[in-house]
Amino acid sequence: MIEELYPLCRSITGQGLRQTLQTLQRYIPLRMHEVPSGTQVFDWTVPREWNIRDAYVRNSRGEKVIDFRKSNLHVLNYSIPVHLVMTLEKLKEHLFTIPEHPDWIPYKTSYYKENWGFCMRHRDYLSLEDGEYEVFIDSSLENGSLTYGELYVRGDEESEVLISCHACHPSLCNDNLSGVALAALLAQWIHSAARRYSYRFLFIPGTIGAITWLARNEENTRKIKHGLVLTGLGDSGAMTYKRSRRGDADIDRVVLHVLKHAGSTYGVVDFDPYGYDERQYCSPGFDLPVGRLSRTPYGTYPEYHTSADNLQFIRPESLGESFFRIAEILFLLESNHVYVNVNPKCEPQLGKRGIYRNTGGRVSGGVNELALLWVLNLSDGRHTLLDVAEKSGLEFGVIYEAANILYDNRLLVIRDA
Amino acid sequence: MIEELYPLCRSITGQGLRQTLQTLQRYIPLRMHEVPSGTQVFDWTVPREWNIRDAYVRNSRGEKVIDFRKSNLHVLNYSIPVHLVMTLEKLKEHLFTIPEHPDWIPYKTSYYKENWGFCMRHRDYLSLEDGEYEVFIDSSLENGSLTYGELYVRGDEESEVLISCHACHPSLCNDNLSGVALAALLAQWIHSAARRYSYRFLFIPGTIGAITWLARNEENTRKIKHGLVLTGLGDSGAMTYKRSRRGDADIDRVVLHVLKHAGSTYGVVDFDPYGYDERQYCSPGFDLPVGRLSRTPYGTYPEYHTSADNLQFIRPESLGESFFRIAEILFLLESNHVYVNVNPKCEPQLGKRGIYRNTGGRVSGGVNELALLWVLNLSDGRHTLLDVAEKSGLEFGVIYEAANILYDNRLLVIRDA
Amino acid sequence: MIEELYPLCRSITGQGLRQTLQTLQRYIPLRMHEVPSGTQVFDWTVPREWNIRDAYVRNSRGEKVIDFRKSNLHVLNYSIPVHLVMTLEKLKEHLFTIPEHPDWIPYKTSYYKENWGFCMRHRDYLSLEDGEYEVFIDSSLENGSLTYGELYVRGDEESEVLISCHACHPSLCNDNLSGVALAALLAQWIHSAARRYSYRFLFIPGTIGAITWLARNEENTRKIKHGLVLTGLGDSGAMTYKRSRRGDADIDRVVLHVLKHAGSTYGVVDFDPYGYDERQYCSPGFDLPVGRLSRTPYGTYPEYHTSADNLQFIRPESLGESFFRIAEILFLLESNHVYVNVNPKCEPQLGKRGIYRNTGGRVSGGVNELALLWVLNLSDGRHTLLDVAEKSGLEFGVIYEAANILYDNRLLVIRDA
């Protein structure tokens, strides 16, 4: 999926984004929304639609020294159309490079200020000769629409889990396509599974897409009980979770329990108002319980927002582990009931029900028995299973299994908040 | 007292337990309760009464290779009566040993599943020869009653302090008799002293005894303001406190203040639902403020539940220190009033009352003056004396003395919650 | 100012104190209050007024071995008048020295118990010869009044900031005059500046002065929103803050934020009921949000309450730094508004207002942009600017500047509690 999506020249509007979502529709029943340019969304306005067909810079010998067809990163994203001849000196005002990584093309954008430019390898930049250059960008910036994809999967409850990823970056794999691909696979899985919560998957352009969705679905946000922004999930670094603005929302505790018991190193950072679309979901007027899951945080690896964030940079085993962790997180969310012990006064006699050893005296291991006792002791209507897991120091799965045994023996009933 | 009680073959019902309580009646006016077999107590049923007169295993030469009269630990507690001849191979299915401690007899029970068996030294087990064995257990398991002892000592207030110990283990000293003896001595002392709280001492069989008492005294539990389960108080290890389920009940804070200022190392563990009768007192339907005081925690010393937990294992000086700590705890509970400063606006002039140095200038030590000021400053109706001790970093006794001086000078009145 | 005030023989009443306040009136429009001896103030009584003209001890050769005119510390403060001849042995019962610092004169008082005495260098004490001595103290202890100075500066709000210092010590610089001088300079500055809060400056005798003021202004104390006791601000040690009794009052958080970001080491201690007039302001009947700012805490430097706390002991640069920190504290208090983001749903578009970079892609530093986002995100009516600073880890000034930019762009409104 990522290989197929990689060559498309995505932006916050336009055909590249639209084709990306159409590709996803082959995997999941994604609904596409088109929001006209000029639509007011809170403090913002949906911009004109940008499309690009070709772009190059030719030297005086007619050789293309920069060619959009070789990499869509070469063009400053949202460049206005130009066709000019100019000196190298003038041209240089429109060129972007990364001197410290001379073989990488940077990724640059200018969505909200009219501009044009080219991004190129610093090595190539240094070899540009003096003289006249022909600059050509065959783009258009016209009224059209902003596109986003949405998949709603109804569960037993109206309460929703929001999974959001941005799909507006051109040929960048970790930042963009890793989240898109994993969200699509999760949607495929959730769609086919029994589920307690309803799920809403968003494939949107960053910032303006989240703002647009929130503006059009303001009422619906009250149903969002848990949420994750997914991005940067394919590199080889450790899993890193950024807390929601609330800091101790269920999603925060759930993700950290999963990461803590996963057996690998992991990172956790407090909410800050920079980053991806958690900025919008966690703006004070919404303050949704939405955290962000990544591997190495954006901006802290050199390949970030360069041509080096390519198909080789992401690894199948990292994508696989990321998927598995998110699946564990969703499993925990789904299973995290509040139970009530129907025999709260003293312990019930587990032995007569055959779920407890019968020969006392020297204590044997009995971790499962301990889990049974923890669940019974804390099932007072005020503790979720995750609370029990954390208080007991046991892993959620062990507690979950104990709760199921007790539930099957009619010693517990479910009483969610 | 412990030497006298040691040889009795106690169990959760029966004559051994009854004789134990009768022995205690020589020291304290203990009331004995008999609860008939078959009585429903919450999810449990009072079991049939077990008694044993003799038991042995004889080899083909008629020699007793196991003899109950040498140690009552030799019989699986609650063994049904048997008289059989069987091969060594068959017999071994009913033998319990501790290979890693070949000279110790383990202690085993089978209260709620009909079974029989023998416990023996592993060294003797290895020397058993092939051949036929005569197995004889002269026990009875019949309708009768469960016995427990209770002593209620009325204080100025109806609120109660609960002191509970189990008295159902046969010849085991630390686990069982250390708590029984200390609770009896405490009861003797409390009975003869002026006291604020009412006290309730329970000498009960573990688990089923606590459940039975709670079932019969459900209403009364609302009066229990503080409680301690006493056990394992005679070994040479450090004092260890297990918090109540609430974790920050008064009893938790009081015990930890005493242990912290006692000048010895000590341990503290959070509540968990394994252990002794705190399991029942802290079940979610009761959630009583009851902690457990021990020295080395059960199960973490090798002598636990073996014949090595004998009269030599417990030490008079450990029992003495345990008694002294519990006495300090009860003193603190009794003295832990909330006072109100009757001159709350600015400091009262202590100098004119002769309880403050009169020559100012260079500050001298004056710890007691500092204690006076702390008590005055925090006696706002929201702080107990223990709160004052903890906020000031001073020991409770110093604060208590300061409060008494101020009270005698009519600068404080008592206003308990 | 300190040099001018240094020679005056101050006490808790009398001409020395009165002259001190008159001197301050040349700098600030201080109002002087006279409270008659015998006035009841809570549990205390305003004492008789003490004045002293001369005092000496003469040996049998007529030589003055102690002379009040050389240092006013020589006389036990509040000494009753005496004119006696006595042996050295008898005299010694009235002499105070510091053996470990034989060249320093101690400072001693006896306000509330009639007594007389002399303080002297231990070196001189050792050289006293046997024989008769003439003792002369030309003091008076008569009905008069207790004097204190007060300056009230009205601000936009009725809520007050209290600045209190004691002015009752004779020739002692750090303990007494450093606080007096800095409070006077602050008053001068505040008086001339626009201000949100009203300010109340108190120049009072320690303990009895604070008690007297509180007794006469009990109703007014409800307006006190923040307060500082200033003393010991001229020595070369690190700034040290003593928290208010509340422990987490705004003043506590504000002072600690300033000290933390000042770039020097600093100390913080929890409230305790010893010390200066915070003892009275923080008595339980008032419990005002008043902390104490000093450099090296009293009693922990050897010069404390001796003649070595002189004009050389305090340093201009220390006084200057102290002034600057207090000014920062007051600035922060004044600026610590609660703002409300008027576009709370999603981020407002900062780019179109020209206060945000327009070319996205690789993230540049942008600390100020981060501050803008933090202020927007946390301006939900529940966070002060200091809350924003602490949550973001940024210094208050950076947050304040960001808030001003946003306020000027009409993205924020002020909504104080």
Side-chain angles (χ1 to χ4, degrees):
Chain A
M1 193 192 304
I2 293 178
E3 279 177 6
E4 188 177 358
L5 297 172
Y6 181 61
L8 298 174
C9 183
R10 277 165 294 276
S11 184
I12 57 172
T13 61
Q15 281 305 325
L17 172 56
R18 215 168 267 121
Q19 286 161 25
T20 298
L21 299 177
Q22 284 160 353
T23 304
L24 295 181
Q25 283 179 322
R26 297 209 324 267
Y27 298 87
I28 50 174
L30 197 63
R31 185 168 159 204
M32 278 170 68
H33 297 261
E34 299 284 350
V35 183
S37 303
T39 304
Q40 192 70 19
V41 285
F42 296 125
D43 192 50
W44 299 63
T45 308
V46 172
R48 286 174 293 169
E49 182 175 328
W50 183 69
N51 285 291
I52 183 163
R53 284 154 295 277
D54 196 7
Y56 54 78
V57 175
R58 255 205 278 245
N59 64 15
S60 54
R61 289 191 297 277
E63 299 160 349
K64 287 187 179 170
V65 296
I66 305 176
D67 186 355
F68 171 74
R69 302 194 176 193
K70 290 192 178 161
S71 167
N72 56 38
L73 297 177
H74 274 314
V75 172
L76 177 72
N77 206 291
Y78 251 67
S79 280
I80 56 174
V82 287
H83 198 174
L84 298 165
V85 175
M86 53 175 60
T87 61
L88 177 60
E89 197 186 343
K90 270 290 182 198
L91 174 62
K92 279 186 171 177
E93 294 171 11
H94 292 268
L95 297 182
F96 301 92
T97 71
I98 316 169
E100 59 267 42
H101 293 289
D103 290 320
W104 298 353
I105 309 164
Y107 161 59
K108 290 280 179 189
T109 69
S110 186
Y111 300 138
Y112 299 104
K113 188 185 173 194
E114 288 201 3
N115 197 1
W116 64 267
F118 286 88
C119 302
M120 67 190 300
R121 293 177 185 85
H122 195 64
R123 193 176 306 281
D124 295 340
Y125 175 86
L126 294 176
S127 67
L128 291 176
E129 294 166 9
D130 276 344
E132 300 260 293
Y133 286 86
E134 178 195 357
V135 171
F136 177 63
I137 299 180
D138 181 13
S139 68
S140 60
L141 195 54
E142 291 164 356
N143 278 333
S145 59
L146 174 147
T147 315
Y148 67 84
E150 184 172 13
L151 173 60
Y152 175 70
V153 185
R154 185 65 166 88
D156 293 341
E157 299 183 13
E158 255 205 330
S159 300
E160 291 183 13
V161 177
L162 176 73
I163 304 289
S164 175
C165 62
H166 67 286
C168 56
H169 287 19
S171 294
L172 296 172
C173 281
N174 198 40
D175 182 7
N176 188 16
L177 295 181
S178 69
V180 168
L182 288 180
L185 285 184
L186 283 166
Q188 214 174 30
W189 171 56
I190 292 288
H191 195 264
S192 68
R195 62 206 162 248
R196 166 184 174 193
Y197 288 117
S198 299
Y199 285 79
R200 192 172 296 275
F201 294 87
L202 297 183
F203 300 82
I204 52 179
T207 304
I208 187 67
I211 293 168
T212 300
W213 186 84
L214 285 165
R216 290 160 57 103
N217 296 276
E218 201 174 329
E219 278 308 297
N220 187 79
T221 59
R222 288 185 300 183
K223 296 186 198 153
I224 296 173
K225 211 163 165 183
H226 316 286
L228 281 178
V229 168
L230 299 183
T231 181
L233 289 159
D235 66 274
S236 60
M239 300 290 295
T240 305
Y241 180 66
K242 174 180 171 179
R243 291 179 188 273
S244 75
R245 183 179 185 264
R246 303 182 187 181
D248 62 347
D250 285 350
I251 186 68
D252 300 319
R253 294 178 54 215
V254 164
V255 174
L256 290 174
H257 184 86
V258 166
L259 293 183
K260 182 179 165 189
H261 288 271
S264 313
T265 56
Y266 66 94
V268 55
V269 294
D270 281 342
F271 178 77
D272 74 81
Y274 253 169
Y276 290 93
D277 287 328
E278 67 275 12
R279 290 164 68 156
Q280 313 309 328
Y281 300 127
C282 295
S283 57
F286 289 109
D287 196 19
L288 299 176
V290 175
R292 189 187 78 214
L293 195 65
S294 305
R295 301 189 70 93
T296 307
Y298 78 94
T300 66
Y301 52 96
E303 295 85 354
Y304 173 73
H305 275 197
T306 75
S307 58
D309 178 6
N310 57 22
L311 289 166
Q312 284 69 52
F313 181 63
I314 56 173
R315 305 188 322 164
E317 56 271 32
S318 296
L319 290 164
E321 193 213 8
S322 298
F323 182 85
F324 192 64
R325 293 292 159 256
I326 304 166
E328 285 184 300
I329 290 163
L330 298 184
F331 171 77
L332 206 163
L333 284 172
E334 290 271 327
S335 316
N336 193 26
H337 292 291
V338 173
Y339 289 92
V340 173
N341 177 343
V342 298
N343 288 279
K345 290 177 178 165
C346 300
E347 294 170 9
Q349 193 176 2
L350 301 180
K352 73 183 179 189
R353 292 172 177 88
I355 52 176
Y356 206 73
R357 73 201 143 85
N358 276 299
T359 304
R362 261 177 106 78
V363 172
S364 64
V367 166
N368 286 336
E369 288 178 1
L370 187 51
L372 293 173
L373 294 178
W374 271 115
V375 173
L376 286 169
N377 191 275
L378 293 178
S379 288
D380 53 8
R382 293 181 292 114
H383 294 90
T384 62
L385 282 194
L386 179 59
D387 292 330
V388 180
E390 290 187 347
K391 280 220 162 192
S392 68
L394 298 172
E395 201 265 315
F396 182 84
V398 174
I399 293 296
Y400 172 73
E401 195 183 352
N404 278 352
I405 290 169
L406 294 168
Y407 185 81
D408 291 345
N409 277 273
R410 303 193 181 183
L411 290 167
L412 298 179
V413 293
I414 292 180
R415 188 169 311 161
D416 289 329
Chain B
M1 195 191 304
I2 292 177
E3 279 177 5
E4 188 177 358
L5 296 173
Y6 181 61
L8 299 174
C9 184
R10 278 166 293 277
S11 184
I12 56 172
T13 60
Q15 281 304 326
L17 172 58
R18 215 169 267 121
Q19 286 162 25
T20 297
L21 300 177
Q22 283 161 353
T23 304
L24 295 180
Q25 283 180 323
R26 298 208 323 266
Y27 299 86
I28 49 174
L30 196 63
R31 184 167 160 206
M32 278 168 69
H33 297 262
E34 299 283 350
V35 183
S37 302
T39 304
Q40 191 70 18
V41 285
F42 296 126
D43 193 49
W44 301 62
T45 307
V46 173
R48 285 175 294 168
E49 182 175 329
W50 183 70
N51 284 289
I52 183 163
R53 283 155 296 276
D54 195 8
Y56 55 77
V57 174
R58 254 204 277 248
N59 65 14
S60 54
R61 289 191 296 277
E63 298 160 351
K64 287 188 181 171
V65 295
I66 306 176
D67 186 355
F68 172 74
R69 302 194 176 192
K70 292 194 177 158
S71 168
N72 56 37
L73 297 178
H74 274 315
V75 171
L76 176 72
N77 205 292
Y78 251 67
S79 280
I80 55 174
V82 286
H83 197 172
L84 298 166
V85 175
M86 53 175 61
T87 61
L88 177 60
E89 197 183 343
K90 271 289 180 196
L91 174 62
K92 280 186 172 178
E93 292 171 13
H94 292 268
L95 297 181
F96 300 92
T97 71
I98 315 170
E100 61 265 44
H101 294 289
D103 290 318
W104 298 353
I105 309 165
Y107 161 58
K108 290 280 177 187
T109 68
S110 186
Y111 300 138
Y112 298 105
K113 188 184 172 195
E114 287 201 4
N115 197 0
W116 64 267
F118 285 89
C119 301
M120 68 190 299
R121 293 178 185 84
H122 195 64
R123 192 176 307 282
D124 296 338
Y125 175 87
L126 293 176
S127 67
L128 291 178
E129 294 165 9
D130 276 343
E132 302 259 294
Y133 286 86
E134 180 195 355
V135 171
F136 178 62
I137 300 180
D138 181 14
S139 68
S140 59
L141 195 54
E142 292 164 356
N143 279 334
S145 60
L146 176 148
T147 316
Y148 67 84
E150 184 171 15
L151 173 60
Y152 174 71
V153 186
R154 185 65 166 86
D156 293 340
E157 299 184 13
E158 254 206 330
S159 300
E160 292 183 12
V161 177
L162 176 73
I163 304 289
S164 176
C165 62
H166 66 286
C168 55
H169 287 20
S171 294
L172 295 172
C173 281
N174 198 40
D175 182 7
N176 186 18
L177 295 181
S178 69
V180 168
L182 288 180
L185 285 184
L186 283 166
Q188 216 174 29
W189 171 56
I190 291 289
H191 195 263
S192 67
R195 60 206 162 251
R196 167 183 173 195
Y197 288 118
S198 300
Y199 285 79
R200 193 173 295 274
F201 293 87
L202 297 183
F203 301 81
I204 51 179
T207 305
I208 187 67
I211 294 168
T212 299
W213 186 84
L214 285 165
R216 289 160 58 102
N217 296 275
E218 201 173 331
E219 278 307 298
N220 188 79
T221 58
R222 288 184 299 183
K223 298 186 196 152
I224 296 174
K225 212 164 164 182
H226 316 286
L228 280 178
V229 168
L230 299 183
T231 181
L233 289 158
D235 66 273
S236 60
M239 301 289 295
T240 304
Y241 180 66
K242 174 180 170 179
R243 291 179 188 274
S244 74
R245 181 178 186 265
R246 301 181 189 182
D248 64 346
D250 286 351
I251 186 69
D252 300 318
R253 294 179 53 216
V254 165
V255 174
L256 290 174
H257 185 84
V258 166
L259 294 184
K260 182 179 164 187
H261 288 272
S264 313
T265 55
Y266 65 95
V268 54
V269 293
D270 282 341
F271 178 78
D272 75 79
Y274 253 169
Y276 290 94
D277 286 331
E278 68 275 10
R279 290 163 68 156
Q280 313 310 328
Y281 300 127
C282 296
S283 57
F286 289 109
D287 196 19
L288 298 176
V290 175
R292 190 187 78 213
L293 195 65
S294 306
R295 300 188 72 91
T296 307
Y298 78 93
T300 67
Y301 51 97
E303 296 85 356
Y304 173 72
H305 275 197
T306 75
S307 57
D309 179 3
N310 55 22
L311 289 166
Q312 284 70 51
F313 182 63
I314 58 173
R315 305 190 321 164
E317 58 270 33
S318 295
L319 289 165
E321 193 214 9
S322 297
F323 182 85
F324 192 64
R325 290 295 157 255
I326 303 167
E328 286 185 299
I329 290 163
L330 298 184
F331 171 78
L332 206 163
L333 284 173
E334 290 272 327
S335 316
N336 192 25
H337 291 292
V338 173
Y339 289 92
V340 172
N341 177 344
V342 298
N343 288 280
K345 288 176 178 167
C346 300
E347 294 170 9
Q349 194 178 1
L350 300 180
K352 72 182 181 191
R353 294 174 175 88
I355 52 174
Y356 205 73
R357 71 199 145 84
N358 277 299
T359 304
R362 260 178 106 79
V363 172
S364 64
V367 166
N368 286 336
E369 288 177 0
L370 187 52
L372 292 172
L373 295 178
W374 271 114
V375 173
L376 286 169
N377 191 276
L378 293 179
S379 288
D380 54 6
R382 292 181 292 115
H383 294 91
T384 63
L385 283 193
L386 179 60
D387 292 331
V388 181
E390 290 187 347
K391 278 219 163 195
S392 68
L394 298 171
E395 200 265 316
F396 182 84
V398 175
I399 293 297
Y400 171 72
E401 195 183 352
N404 278 353
I405 291 169
L406 294 168
Y407 185 81
D408 291 345
N409 277 272
R410 302 190 184 188
L411 289 167
L412 298 180
V413 293
I414 292 179
R415 189 171 309 159
D416 289 329
Chain C
M1 194 193 304
I2 291 178
E3 279 177 5
E4 189 177 358
L5 296 172
Y6 180 62
L8 299 174
C9 183
R10 279 165 294 274
S11 184
I12 57 172
T13 61
Q15 281 304 326
L17 172 57
R18 214 168 268 120
Q19 286 162 25
T20 298
L21 300 177
Q22 284 161 353
T23 305
L24 295 180
Q25 283 180 323
R26 300 209 321 268
Y27 298 87
I28 50 174
L30 197 62
R31 186 170 160 201
M32 279 169 66
H33 298 261
E34 300 283 351
V35 184
S37 302
T39 304
Q40 192 69 18
V41 285
F42 296 125
D43 191 51
W44 300 62
T45 308
V46 172
R48 286 174 293 168
E49 183 175 328
W50 183 70
N51 284 291
I52 183 163
R53 284 155 295 278
D54 197 6
Y56 54 77
V57 175
R58 256 206 277 248
N59 64 16
S60 53
R61 291 192 297 277
E63 299 159 350
K64 286 189 180 168
V65 296
I66 305 177
D67 186 353
F68 171 73
R69 300 193 179 195
K70 292 194 177 158
S71 168
N72 56 37
L73 296 178
H74 274 314
V75 171
L76 177 73
N77 206 290
Y78 251 67
S79 281
I80 56 175
V82 288
H83 198 175
L84 298 165
V85 174
M86 54 175 62
T87 61
L88 177 60
E89 197 184 345
K90 271 287 181 201
L91 174 61
K92 281 186 170 177
E93 294 172 11
H94 292 267
L95 297 182
F96 300 91
T97 71
I98 315 170
E100 58 268 42
H101 292 290
D103 290 319
W104 297 353
I105 309 165
Y107 161 57
K108 290 279 180 190
T109 69
S110 185
Y111 300 138
Y112 299 104
K113 187 184 173 193
E114 287 202 2
N115 197 1
W116 64 266
F118 285 90
C119 302
M120 68 189 300
R121 292 178 185 83
H122 195 66
R123 192 176 307 281
D124 295 341
Y125 175 87
L126 293 176
S127 67
L128 292 177
E129 295 165 6
D130 276 344
E132 300 260 296
Y133 285 87
E134 178 195 357
V135 170
F136 178 62
I137 299 180
D138 180 13
S139 67
S140 60
L141 194 55
E142 292 163 356
N143 279 334
S145 60
L146 174 149
T147 315
Y148 67 84
E150 184 172 15
L151 173 60
Y152 175 71
V153 186
R154 185 68 165 87
D156 293 340
E157 299 183 12
E158 255 205 330
S159 301
E160 292 183 13
V161 177
L162 176 73
I163 304 289
S164 176
C165 61
H166 66 287
C168 56
H169 287 20
S171 293
L172 295 172
C173 281
N174 198 41
D175 183 6
N176 189 15
L177 295 180
S178 68
V180 169
L182 288 180
L185 285 183
L186 283 166
Q188 216 174 29
W189 171 57
I190 291 289
H191 195 263
S192 68
R195 59 205 163 251
R196 166 185 174 192
Y197 288 118
S198 299
Y199 285 78
R200 192 172 297 273
F201 293 87
L202 297 181
F203 301 81
I204 52 179
T207 305
I208 187 65
I211 293 168
T212 300
W213 186 85
L214 285 165
R216 290 159 57 101
N217 296 276
E218 199 173 332
E219 278 308 297
N220 188 78
T221 58
R222 286 183 301 183
K223 296 186 197 152
I224 296 173
K225 211 163 164 183
H226 317 286
L228 280 179
V229 168
L230 298 183
T231 182
L233 290 158
D235 67 274
S236 60
M239 302 289 296
T240 305
Y241 180 66
K242 174 179 170 180
R243 291 179 187 273
S244 74
R245 181 179 186 267
R246 301 182 188 180
D248 63 346
D250 285 351
I251 186 67
D252 301 318
R253 294 178 54 214
V254 164
V255 174
L256 290 174
H257 184 85
V258 166
L259 294 183
K260 182 180 165 188
H261 287 272
S264 313
T265 56
Y266 66 94
V268 55
V269 292
D270 281 340
F271 178 77
D272 74 82
Y274 253 168
Y276 291 93
D277 286 330
E278 69 275 11
R279 288 164 69 157
Q280 313 310 328
Y281 300 127
C282 296
S283 58
F286 288 110
D287 195 19
L288 299 176
V290 175
R292 189 186 78 214
L293 195 65
S294 305
R295 301 188 72 91
T296 307
Y298 78 95
T300 67
Y301 53 97
E303 296 85 356
Y304 172 72
H305 277 197
T306 76
S307 58
D309 179 4
N310 57 21
L311 289 165
Q312 285 70 52
F313 182 63
I314 56 172
R315 305 188 323 164
E317 57 270 35
S318 295
L319 289 164
E321 193 213 9
S322 297
F323 182 85
F324 192 65
R325 291 294 158 256
I326 303 166
E328 285 185 299
I329 290 163
L330 299 184
F331 171 78
L332 205 162
L333 284 172
E334 291 271 326
S335 317
N336 193 24
H337 291 293
V338 173
Y339 289 92
V340 173
N341 177 343
V342 298
N343 287 282
K345 290 177 178 164
C346 300
E347 295 169 8
Q349 192 177 2
L350 301 180
K352 72 183 181 191
R353 294 172 175 88
I355 52 176
Y356 206 73
R357 73 200 143 85
N358 277 299
T359 303
R362 261 177 104 81
V363 172
S364 64
V367 166
N368 286 336
E369 289 177 359
L370 187 52
L372 293 172
L373 294 178
W374 271 114
V375 173
L376 286 169
N377 191 275
L378 293 179
S379 289
D380 53 7
R382 293 181 291 116
H383 294 90
T384 64
L385 283 194
L386 179 59
D387 292 331
V388 181
E390 291 187 347
K391 278 218 163 194
S392 69
L394 298 171
E395 200 263 317
F396 182 83
V398 174
I399 292 297
Y400 171 72
E401 196 183 351
N404 278 353
I405 291 169
L406 294 168
Y407 185 81
D408 291 345
N409 276 272
R410 304 192 181 184
L411 289 168
L412 298 179
V413 294
I414 292 180
R415 187 169 312 160
D416 289 329

